[in-house]
Amino acid sequence: MIGSPVLHPPRSLAAMETRAALCPGSRLLSLGIWLMVAARALPHAGAVISCASCPSPVQLHRQELQLNRGAAGLRSVRAEFRELGFSSLDAGLDRDHEPGDSTEDVPQFHRDEAPGRDGAALRRAKRSGAEFGDSGWSGGAGGGEGSQVDGQRSVRWNREDGGGINRQDEPKLSSSTFALTGDSAHNHAVVTWSGQNSSVILILTKLYDFHIGSVTESTLWRSADYGSTYERMNDKVGFKTVLSYLYVCPTNKRKIMVLTDPEFESSVLISTDEGASYQKFRLSFFVLSLLFHPTQEDWALAYSHDQKLYSSVDFGRKWQLIHEHVTPNRFYWSVAGLDKEPDLIHMEAHTPDGNVQYVTCRAQMCTEANRNYPFPGYIDISSLVVQDDYIFIQVPTSGRATYYVSYKRDLFIQIKLPKYSLPKDLHIVSTDEKQVFAAVQEWNQNDTYNLYLSDTRGIYFTLAMENVKTTRGISGNQMLDLYEVAGIKGMLIANKRQDNQVKTYITYNKGRDWRLLQAPASDLDGNDVHCILPFCSLHLQLQMSENPYVSGTISSKSSAPGIIVATGNVGAELSYNNVGMFVSSDAGNSWRPIFEEEHNIWFLDRGGALVAVKQPSVPTRHLWVSFDEGRQWTQHSFSSVPLFVDGVLVEAGAENQIMTFFGHFSHRSEWQLIKIDYKSIFSRKCTEEDYQTWHLHNQGEPCVMGQKQIYMKRRPGNYCMLGQDYSRILSAESCICRAHDFECDYGYERRGDGNCRPAFWFNPSTVSRSCSQGQNYFNSTGYRKVVLNNCTKGVKEMYTARKQQCPNRPPKGLMLTTKDGKLTANMGNNVTFLVHLDEGDSLQTNIQLDFGDGTAVSYSNLSWTEEGIKHVYRSAGIFRVTALAENMLGYDTTTLFLHITCPVEHVQLLAPFVIITHKEVNISAAVLPSQPRTVTYFWWLGNNTEPVITLDGSIAHTFTIEGMHTITVQVSAGNTILQDTKTIAVKEFFKSLLLSFSPNLDEFNPDIPEWRQDVGRVIKKALLQVSDFPEERLLVAVFPGVPTAAELFLLPNKNQSEDKKKTEEELEKASNVIVSALNQNLVEFELKPGVRVIVYNTQLTLAPLVDSSPRHSSSAMLMLLSVVFLGLAVFLIYKFKRKIPWINIYAEVNQEKEQEMIGSVGQGDSTPKITLSEFATSKERLEKELDARVKRGVGNACESTREIPNCTSV
């Protein structure tokens, strides 16, 4: 599956996202929370909402690898948020739980409530025992419905003083609690703010029945006063309507879309007044996910449970089918500035034969005639990613993965990783800074990835860091331990595995240089910390929360540049025990401890203040606020009763200072929503005097990413309200370029001395084939400037690629492939050949292509072949395709062997009905249509369990054991496999008679195996009426074709201990009895009422004469002479056969000669008698039939559907 910025390797490109309706930077991401109580995760998928305006990371495989990034830095990452779940919790969560441990007792995310609704649903934990210790409270609804709790006590805590002091004059928080009365049984809650600067909050609570797997009850609540009070809205949507999901339009948050549960009805309820009123519209499908247009508020895409994609241009009132068989989460709206039509849709769709294609079309004009296929050929499933300026796909190949990228909608070009990276898994992590971050798991890695950075076009990738650690999230997603600091471009923090230890590194120039983090100088008690680099350093946990309403283990904010808050430890390596909270105010140059326990920390007032709440494993009434970047903390009470905090909405509106806490007092209580107005903790609004400048630096080095950056931010400790975003770059002065502003170019590696040298596999003298005589090209120095680095002059000229004139050179590295990468094709289909030349002048090089079927083409230069060379093969076979590239300086050739197949329609196994032991016999299979050299035959002979495999349609075999043996042949051509099976008798000797029939039988002969089998059974029954020969030793085989003929076999007794001569005599006697009856016309049967068929004796054979011994008796010699004379007689009869009608011929076959297959014979007044030599074998009859059909103009063999006649023995 290319998963959001993730490319799957030889297997597939996987998606790093399951698109959620969560747009970083928008209130949609930070204002929805799902609260859920249940014993286990939901088993069924739920709707997912995606915000198209926030591009998603590329997943090119089936699992997820997600980048931990700051809120603003998440622009290019579509996060997947799944429902949190608890399993049999007795006393809350284990806060020391380490990633990778069993997640049985930690929150679990599941698809049902995940992505995309306007909030993430958090499962509420069951808790038992003494839940509230100090208060002794157990049950009830706290302050009651809408009760106001004011005047809570505040305590100020100065970390430098090491204690807390009661300050009665501290500002107090204003809070109110509202209980959703009557919903205590509901175990889901979806909470969302309707929009920026709006006072409306919507809450959907549901009762999910785990036994039947669906929602059985729901209640919709609405607040119009920032959450002080809520109104039940069931009467507006219908009392009996069961609702499942709630969506808010990201571009006009007054518009609300609510889906009903499909178990009851499939409908959508639409509101255009922030949920005050609704209109219901019926749907003909069940919505699995929604994707709103990034700019058009009424446009949306809906993905159904049966893999169909629909579009609406009137906000869900009417839906139109776009395409069937679309891959989940692989559909995208157009990107402004890149796609010409705003309603263009990019999608990954399946063809009827199971292949996958990249398809584009317009939302309301997506008929087959209006569809486009930007990438020629098929792609891997779940590999399409459309993100920012880039489109990524992975093509199906055997062995090694091949990835392609299109930059700004240009032609697709193969992505160039270092030659021997050999990715098992590749994720495109981000694309938002004019280059691509890719995480590659190489062939020798298991739980780590290498980080690669591309050039601006996303084609050439170079290594930025090796062995970046991954962590499995509580929802099962693979999380890459890489964090992009918000507000400062080029700054990344990563956890690297090295020598069985994991350490935290930081870079300020996009991975060009990395260093360890300096540990704090002292601990919380003021004691010195003795930690010396590189043996000891600070290590951080880099997991972003999968629930957007808890803070995760690291946080930063673009409106508060330089401030980073994280969970971590001091020591030799990263540990998940004895962790604390740390803060940096200078972009990671220095760190301070702030808490000994893990806390959720949010940025208030656009980053002007920090608020901290303990992890939700225990109930709490307090929160902590800091105005000086974590140096001093003030404690505030927000509830009179301890609350299990399940989530917090912060900064719901731009012009208000309101937080909303979601939680519950106990697992038996109703949902509690606590509105907190923190405006009172500010003394005034900030003025110019409250701001100061801050210089970004890297360990004292002022030039970061090629410039000196000075920021404006609030002075720490000032109790003033920002009100608006004052954080900005005051000035950015370009620096003189130095070596650290340049990274190694593609094909080069950094050595121990810091210089970039060519890798052993890279030839730096290689010149692109597009470089033609008289033109110029840029010859790499081994370096390229870090993307978005703004340095000037200095060493820039020395490190920048130099312009040189294209040299004359012979062609080299000629490669020939088919466009789909396959070495097989069906006859009559177009085959597109691609010619690639590593070196040579493409405009001066002649290309010749010999297709191997007697045709060839020639092109004056390589540019004519860019779209591929098409050819149609009219016959099946294996063709040698040869390409020749030639110019004045030399030539290069390459060869490809292409298998052209035609689907096999019929196979007929041709074998004698009775075979002599220890005598080699030829067994063959006739195939229709004939396919020379492209068919594989699998033979199962006798009791063999393993087949004999041949490329020839015949095989010789010797049977050594008497009895009934089964022969099976399978014929494989292309994707078709056909089979035929026969049962033959293997005997030491036997007797046979040729039978013919009265002509009326031919009128009813359809010449199919089933008819021959039934007629043979009737003939056998008729013969048994005139002979007492045992039924099990009588075998009748009806030949295919007309006139109808058959052969009667008389088999010896299974008991070979009897005297052989006696057995001969028994067969001879039985044969004479049957011949006599046949000659007297005593053998007949009724084919249908009024149609009686007479059976005649045509020819008698004895094969071989009783014995396979090498000794010959005088009687045998006499018989041999008899055969010679008989042959002469047959010849004379043949010459005069028209004058001697109805003559019966008797012949015996010499014992040393293998029994021959005998063809059909008819009998009648106009039918002459013929000798054995004139009977055609079944194979000959089949070949004649095929020749005749071709001559009659039936059509080419590929189109034939007529069944081949099959000999049947009974």
Side-chain angles (χ1 to χ4, degrees):
M1 291 179 220
I2 288 179
S4 302
V6 178
L7 299 149
H8 205 152
R11 301 184 289 275
S12 65
L13 294 173
M16 189 179 289
E17 91 280 80
T18 301
R19 288 185 292 277
L22 306 171
C23 298
S26 72
R27 289 299 158 267
L28 189 61
L29 180 141
S30 58
L31 298 180
I33 186 166
W34 293 346
L35 307 166
M36 171 179 176
V37 171
R40 58 184 182 274
L42 297 184
H44 301 290
V48 177
I49 187 171
S50 301
C51 175
S53 62
C54 13
S56 92
V58 185
Q59 174 180 331
L60 301 134
H61 69 68
R62 298 186 233 300
Q63 293 181 338
E64 296 190 352
L65 183 66
Q66 299 183 352
L67 169 67
N68 299 319
R69 317 182 68 181
L74 279 169
R75 225 165 25 87
S76 68
V77 179
R78 264 185 205 135
E80 170 180 352
F81 299 104
R82 304 191 179 193
E83 167 186 325
L84 273 176
F86 297 90
S87 175
S88 303
L89 291 180
D90 294 329
L93 292 176
D94 178 8
R95 289 175 294 147
D96 294 328
H97 175 79
E98 294 190 21
D101 290 350
S102 170
T103 56
E104 180 180 0
D105 294 327
V106 296
Q108 303 292 323
F109 286 87
H110 300 278
R111 281 175 48 194
D112 301 80
E113 297 295 341
R117 329 271 203 259
D118 242 270
L122 184 64
R123 285 183 69 179
R124 196 170 72 181
K126 292 186 178 180
R127 296 173 172 89
S128 61
E131 295 178 327
F132 304 116
D134 58 330
S135 68
W137 188 90
S138 60
E145 181 170 334
S147 61
Q148 193 77 18
V149 183
D150 295 318
Q152 302 297 336
R153 185 182 64 173
S154 299
V155 175
R156 187 171 185 177
W157 180 15
N158 188 327
R159 285 296 183 193
E160 297 174 358
D161 297 338
I165 304 174
N166 289 344
R167 294 280 302 275
Q168 299 300 326
D169 57 345
E170 286 291 339
K172 299 171 184 177
L173 293 177
S174 174
S175 65
S176 62
T177 302
F178 189 93
L180 302 184
T181 306
D183 284 358
S184 60
H186 289 192
N187 51 17
H188 280 134
V190 179
V191 184
T192 180
W193 207 287
S194 69
Q196 191 171 349
N197 299 326
S198 172
S199 62
V200 176
I201 298 176
L202 297 172
I203 302 176
L204 174 62
T205 65
K206 300 176 288 183
L207 174 59
Y208 186 90
D209 191 320
F210 292 96
H211 297 290
I212 63 175
S214 64
V215 178
T216 57
E217 296 179 14
S218 67
T219 304
L220 182 63
W221 301 82
R222 182 177 185 268
S223 172
D225 52 9
Y226 296 102
S228 297
T229 59
Y230 289 85
E231 174 189 3
R232 190 187 295 264
M233 302 293 293
N234 283 31
D235 58 332
K236 301 291 197 321
V237 299
F239 285 105
K240 295 183 178 180
T241 301
V242 179
L243 306 177
S244 58
Y245 305 121
L246 176 68
Y247 302 86
V248 176
C249 176
T251 53
N252 181 357
K253 296 179 180 178
R254 293 181 57 83
K255 292 187 175 182
I256 312 295
M257 198 180 288
V258 185
L259 296 179
T260 61
D261 190 277
E263 294 293 329
F264 295 88
E265 62 175 314
S266 185
S267 301
V268 59
L269 290 93
I270 295 173
S271 173
T272 57
D273 53 7
E274 295 184 297
S277 61
Y278 294 88
Q279 289 180 291
K280 180 184 286 188
F281 297 89
R282 294 281 184 179
L283 297 176
S284 60
F285 58 94
F286 166 38
V287 177
L288 196 61
S289 62
L290 286 179
L291 180 65
F292 290 106
H293 194 277
T295 58
Q296 300 293 328
E297 62 186 56
D298 288 335
W299 294 5
L301 300 178
Y303 185 76
S304 69
H305 66 289
D306 54 355
Q307 296 187 321
K308 295 179 181 179
L309 187 65
Y310 297 83
S311 68
S312 174
V313 294
D314 55 5
F315 200 68
R317 292 169 176 82
K318 296 179 182 178
W319 295 90
Q320 179 174 324
L321 178 64
I322 297 176
H323 206 295
E324 297 181 342
H325 307 297
V326 177
T327 305
N329 296 327
R330 297 296 154 191
F331 48 90
Y332 309 84
W333 279 111
S334 62
V335 178
L338 294 174
D339 295 307
K340 295 180 181 179
E341 298 89 4
D343 62 340
L344 187 71
I345 299 169
H346 305 263
M347 66 187 122
E348 181 183 297
H350 297 246
T351 63
D353 57 359
N355 293 307
V356 181
Q357 288 181 305
Y358 167 30
V359 185
T360 61
C361 65
R362 303 184 66 174
Q364 299 293 307
M365 299 172 57
C366 200
T367 61
E368 182 61 42
N370 294 321
R371 294 171 184 166
N372 294 312
Y373 303 88
F375 181 80
Y378 300 125
I379 66 175
D380 274 337
I381 187 172
S382 295
S383 71
L384 173 66
V385 174
V386 180
Q387 184 166 307
D388 295 324
D389 293 341
Y390 307 92
I391 301 176
F392 303 93
I393 57 97
Q394 176 178 318
V395 300
T397 55
S398 57
R400 298 172 60 177
T402 306
Y403 312 108
Y404 286 82
V405 62
S406 168
Y407 177 62
K408 291 189 173 180
R409 304 305 186 262
D410 205 348
L411 293 176
F412 280 91
I413 299 176
Q414 184 175 344
I415 288 176
K416 298 292 186 180
L417 290 166
K419 187 173 182 179
Y420 296 107
S421 64
L422 305 179
K424 293 191 299 184
D425 189 20
L426 191 153
H427 296 255
I428 303 301
V429 178
S430 72
T431 58
D432 59 343
E433 291 188 345
K434 298 187 182 301
Q435 72 176 152
V436 180
F437 280 68
V440 178
Q441 188 172 67
E442 302 189 5
W443 63 273
N444 57 349
Q445 294 177 308
N446 293 316
D447 60 348
T448 61
Y449 283 73
N450 290 347
L451 180 65
Y452 286 89
L453 297 173
S454 77
D455 59 350
T456 301
R457 295 183 301 161
I459 299 173
Y460 294 98
F461 285 79
T462 59
L463 182 65
M465 174 175 269
E466 292 183 300
N467 295 319
V468 179
K469 175 182 174 291
T470 58
T471 302
R472 187 168 297 279
I474 55 181
S475 64
N477 301 327
Q478 282 291 107
M479 309 289 291
L480 185 68
D481 276 21
L482 176 69
Y483 182 78
E484 185 175 352
V485 178
I488 301 177
K489 67 179 181 180
M491 184 176 174
L492 303 167
I493 303 175
N495 284 330
K496 178 180 180 180
R497 186 179 297 280
Q498 187 174 9
D499 299 329
N500 295 322
Q501 290 183 326
V502 177
K503 298 186 177 185
T504 302
Y505 290 81
I506 190 170
T507 180
Y508 294 84
N509 54 5
K510 283 196 170 184
R512 162 59 169 85
D513 301 291
W514 297 86
R515 64 171 175 83
L516 294 168
L517 297 180
Q518 179 66 57
S522 59
D523 60 18
L524 283 173
D525 298 325
N527 301 317
D528 291 339
V529 174
H530 300 284
C531 186
I532 301 175
L533 294 172
F535 310 103
C536 175
S537 60
L538 175 65
H539 307 284
L540 305 179
Q541 298 178 23
L542 303 179
Q543 288 81 51
M544 286 289 291
S545 172
E546 296 180 85
N547 178 349
Y549 305 105
V550 294
S551 63
T553 60
I554 185 167
S555 300
S556 62
K557 195 174 181 68
S558 59
S559 59
I563 301 178
I564 309 170
V565 183
T567 303
N569 68 282
V570 174
E573 63 177 326
L574 178 66
S575 172
Y576 294 91
N577 297 315
N578 301 319
V579 298
M581 302 295 297
F582 299 86
V583 65
S584 174
S585 301
D586 55 4
N589 285 284
S590 62
W591 295 82
R592 302 184 307 275
I594 52 176
F595 293 108
E596 292 179 344
E597 296 177 294
E598 292 184 65
H599 284 64
N600 285 310
I601 297 181
W602 295 272
F603 291 83
L604 292 183
D605 190 32
R606 301 190 180 277
L610 299 175
V611 60
V613 178
K614 281 188 176 183
Q615 293 282 6
S617 56
V618 293
T620 182
R621 293 179 295 172
H622 306 294
L623 57 83
W624 297 86
V625 178
S626 174
F627 289 89
D628 55 3
E629 300 174 351
R631 294 178 177 87
Q632 293 182 343
W633 293 85
T634 304
Q635 183 188 73
H636 299 269
S637 297
F638 63 85
S639 173
S640 59
V641 176
L643 179 77
F644 287 102
V645 179
D646 292 313
V648 178
L649 296 183
V650 180
E651 292 191 353
E655 304 302 328
N656 61 72
Q657 288 72 41
I658 295 176
M659 294 185 293
T660 303
F661 278 58
F662 302 94
H664 53 286
F665 297 129
S666 76
H667 70 274
R668 296 177 295 274
S669 68
E670 285 89 356
W671 298 107
Q672 307 295 326
L673 292 95
I674 300 180
K675 170 189 172 183
I676 300 174
D677 190 338
Y678 59 87
K679 185 184 299 184
S680 60
I681 64 177
F682 298 105
S683 58
R684 55 187 173 80
K685 285 193 174 184
C686 294
T687 62
E688 290 293 334
E689 289 74 22
D690 292 308
Y691 296 90
Q692 67 177 18
T693 58
W694 173 68
H695 296 252
L696 174 64
H697 66 93
N698 175 13
Q699 298 289 281
E701 169 57 55
C703 289
V704 176
M705 290 293 287
Q707 61 184 2
K708 298 176 181 178
Q709 302 176 47
I710 302 176
Y711 290 81
M712 178 76 74
K713 65 179 184 178
R714 186 173 61 182
R715 295 179 184 276
N718 287 14
Y719 279 68
C720 64
M721 184 192 311
L722 291 177
Q724 56 182 315
D725 189 1
Y726 275 94
S727 175
R728 64 187 184 276
I729 298 179
L730 190 62
S731 67
E733 177 186 349
S734 294
C735 298
I736 299 298
C737 288
R738 290 181 289 176
H740 63 249
D741 296 311
F742 292 82
E743 62 189 3
C744 291
D745 203 351
Y746 174 77
Y748 290 80
E749 298 173 339
R750 192 172 302 281
R751 302 299 170 84
D753 59 2
N755 294 321
C756 296
R757 296 283 186 267
F760 75 93
W761 51 265
F762 182 70
N763 182 7
S765 63
T766 300
V767 180
S768 170
R769 62 179 177 81
S770 62
C771 189
S772 186
Q773 185 177 2
Q775 298 178 343
N776 295 320
Y777 76 102
F778 288 96
N779 188 15
S780 175
T781 62
Y783 299 86
R784 68 186 187 191
K785 193 164 75 167
V786 174
V787 176
L788 296 184
N789 186 292
N790 293 317
C791 73
T792 60
K793 300 180 180 179
V795 299
K796 181 177 180 180
E797 184 176 350
M798 181 173 63
Y799 285 125
T800 301
R802 299 178 178 88
K803 182 184 290 188
Q804 295 183 0
Q805 189 171 12
C806 294
N808 293 332
R809 58 207 186 281
K812 186 182 296 184
L814 181 65
M815 290 185 291
L816 178 64
T817 61
T818 59
K819 180 162 281 189
D820 59 7
K822 298 178 180 179
L823 296 177
T824 181
N826 288 332
M827 189 178 75
N829 289 356
N830 256 322
V831 181
T832 303
F833 295 95
L834 299 179
V835 179
H836 174 77
L837 191 64
D838 284 340
E839 298 182 40
D841 187 341
S842 63
L843 296 181
Q844 305 295 326
T845 300
N846 176 271
I847 298 295
Q848 299 177 29
L849 192 62
D850 186 342
F851 298 109
D853 62 349
T855 59
V857 294
S858 179
Y859 297 91
S860 59
N861 61 66
L862 201 62
S863 62
W864 293 101
T865 68
E866 289 181 354
E867 297 298 321
I869 303 171
K870 290 181 169 50
H871 184 67
V872 177
Y873 288 89
R874 300 298 180 185
S875 61
I878 302 176
F879 297 90
R880 178 190 177 105
V881 186
T882 304
L884 169 67
E886 186 177 21
N887 63 20
M888 294 183 298
L889 300 178
Y891 68 92
D892 193 11
T893 63
T894 186
T895 300
L896 176 150
F897 292 93
L898 186 67
H899 293 239
I900 300 298
T901 62
C902 180
V904 176
E905 295 180 4
H906 300 287
V907 59
Q908 179 179 342
L909 181 60
L910 305 174
F913 304 114
V914 183
I915 293 174
I916 304 302
T917 56
H918 302 287
K919 291 292 185 180
E920 188 176 77
V921 62
N922 286 323
I923 303 167
S924 59
V927 173
L928 181 67
S930 176
Q931 301 205 31
R933 300 181 299 165
T934 61
V935 175
T936 304
Y937 299 84
F938 301 84
W939 307 88
W940 283 268
L941 304 170
N943 297 322
N944 294 344
T945 57
E946 293 296 325
V948 178
I949 302 174
T950 68
L951 296 178
D952 190 14
S954 63
I955 187 173
H957 186 72
T958 301
F959 291 88
T960 60
I961 302 175
E962 285 192 310
M964 303 304 292
H965 291 259
T966 299
I967 301 175
T968 299
V969 63
Q970 284 188 347
V971 175
S972 174
N975 296 324
T976 306
I977 296 180
L978 295 182
Q979 174 177 306
D980 192 13
T981 300
K982 282 191 178 303
T983 300
I984 62 173
V986 178
K987 297 293 181 180
E988 188 177 352
F989 56 89
F990 63 90
K991 193 105 172 176
S992 69
L993 294 169
L994 285 177
L995 305 178
S996 58
F997 307 92
S998 53
N1000 58 348
L1001 180 61
D1002 295 340
E1003 300 176 10
F1004 302 96
N1005 184 354
D1007 202 14
I1008 61 174
E1010 294 86 347
W1011 184 88
R1012 292 192 289 271
Q1013 185 176 1
D1014 289 337
V1015 169
R1017 189 164 46 248
V1018 173
I1019 297 170
K1020 183 176 181 179
K1021 184 177 180 181
L1023 290 169
L1024 291 174
Q1025 292 177 358
V1026 299
S1027 170
D1028 58 356
F1029 197 74
E1031 179 180 358
E1032 65 274 7
R1033 294 165 55 192
L1034 199 65
L1035 179 65
V1036 177
V1038 180
F1039 297 122
V1042 176
T1044 309
E1047 186 167 7
L1048 170 64
F1049 295 93
L1050 305 175
L1051 305 181
N1053 198 319
K1054 293 181 180 179
N1055 185 2
Q1056 296 298 318
S1057 62
E1058 298 180 9
D1059 181 63
K1060 185 178 292 186
K1061 188 172 182 180
K1062 182 178 180 180
T1063 304
E1064 280 187 53
E1065 294 174 352
E1066 180 188 3
L1067 293 181
E1068 184 70 28
K1069 181 179 178 181
S1071 175
N1072 291 335
V1073 171
I1074 294 176
V1075 169
S1076 175
L1078 291 172
N1079 290 336
Q1080 298 178 48
N1081 296 338
L1082 299 178
V1083 182
E1084 63 178 2
F1085 61 90
E1086 187 176 49
L1087 186 67
K1088 58 187 301 184
V1091 179
R1092 300 196 64 81
V1093 177
I1094 301 174
V1095 183
Y1096 302 102
N1097 169 34
T1098 303
Q1099 179 71 39
L1100 173 68
T1101 64
L1102 180 63
L1105 285 179
V1106 183
D1107 178 57
S1108 59
S1109 168
R1111 292 171 298 149
H1112 303 281
S1113 64
S1114 58
S1115 60
M1117 294 299 294
L1118 290 173
M1119 183 165 290
L1120 181 60
L1121 292 174
S1122 301
V1123 170
V1124 174
F1125 287 113
L1126 182 61
L1128 292 174
V1130 168
F1131 174 77
L1132 294 173
I1133 294 171
Y1134 173 74
K1135 296 293 289 182
F1136 303 100
K1137 56 187 176 182
R1138 295 185 179 275
K1139 299 179 181 180
I1140 313 175
W1142 301 107
I1143 189 168
N1144 293 315
I1145 301 173
Y1146 176 91
E1148 291 183 347
V1149 181
N1150 187 288
Q1151 64 181 14
E1152 293 184 355
K1153 183 179 179 182
E1154 180 181 348
Q1155 183 195 2
E1156 296 181 5
M1157 297 289 294
I1158 301 176
S1160 58
V1161 171
Q1163 185 168 340
D1165 294 338
S1166 60
T1167 305
K1169 303 295 163 284
I1170 59 177
T1171 64
L1172 285 175
S1173 61
E1174 292 191 275
F1175 285 104
T1177 66
S1178 298
K1179 186 174 183 179
E1180 291 170 345
R1181 298 173 63 85
L1182 179 65
E1183 291 173 349
K1184 290 179 181 179
E1185 180 184 354
L1186 294 179
D1187 291 341
R1189 291 173 62 184
V1190 173
K1191 291 177 181 178
R1192 289 197 304 266
V1194 175
N1196 68 56
C1198 249
E1199 297 172 352
S1200 173
T1201 58
R1202 181 180 173 184
E1203 183 177 353
I1204 295 179
N1206 187 24
C1207 298
T1208 304
S1209 58
V1210 178

